[in-house]
């Protein structure tokens, strides 16, 4: 995972909050929150819940993105296997 969560940044900005403010309210470090927003860290359920409550969105948003990424990777691998099977 290394895909910036632009949607999370947008929710934060719409709330008029800085990263440090979200982090403090969600009881996590600023560095950890920043890594979550930048997409370099996954978001365990407890942290996803706290951040979603601070910013006012369903915590499932974190996991929909990850599921979408997984499905896209799976589909591209499945297609690559089909192509390799035809040419092999």
């Amino acid at each position: 995972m290394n895909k910036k969560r632009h949607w999370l940044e947008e929710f934060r900005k719409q709330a008029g909050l800085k990263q440090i403010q979200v982090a403090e309210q969600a009881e996590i470090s600023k560095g950890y929150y920043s890594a979550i927003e930048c997409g370099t860290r996954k978001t365990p359920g407890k942290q996803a819940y706290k951040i979603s409550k601070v910013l006012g969105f369903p915590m499932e948003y974190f996991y929909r993105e990850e599921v979408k990424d997984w499905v896209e990777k799976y589909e591209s691998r499945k297609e690559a296997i089909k192509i390799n099977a035809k040419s092999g």
Side-chain angles (χ1 to χ4, degrees):
M1 163 183 252
N2 199 4
K3 193 175 189 180
K4 183 165 175 91
R5 292 181 169 119
H6 294 285
W7 62 268
L8 183 56
E9 179 181 19
E10 192 59 35
F11 270 105
R12 178 178 56 78
K13 288 180 177 181
Q14 286 179 9
L17 298 173
K18 296 182 181 210
Q19 287 184 344
I20 187 70
Q21 294 170 305
V22 176
E24 287 172 351
Q25 291 180 42
E27 301 173 329
I28 58 176
S29 73
K30 192 261 185 199
Y32 186 51
Y33 176 78
S34 178
I36 290 170
E37 193 172 287
C38 288
T40 57
R41 294 286 301 266
K42 292 191 181 224
T43 314
K46 184 177 179 181
Q47 282 75 24
Y49 176 78
K50 288 181 176 184
I51 293 168
S52 69
K53 290 301 170 199
V54 170
L55 297 178
F57 62 82
M59 71 178 271
E60 290 81 10
Y61 282 18
F62 283 104
Y63 306 108
R64 287 182 184 159
E65 177 185 27
E66 291 172 5
V67 168
K68 181 182 173 200
D69 288 346
W70 182 86
V71 168
E72 287 173 2
K73 288 177 188 175
Y74 174 77
E75 290 298 325
S76 66
R77 287 184 188 138
K78 194 166 84 172
E79 190 61 33
I81 290 168
K82 283 181 186 177
I83 292 168
N84 287 338
K86 288 180 183 178
S87 64

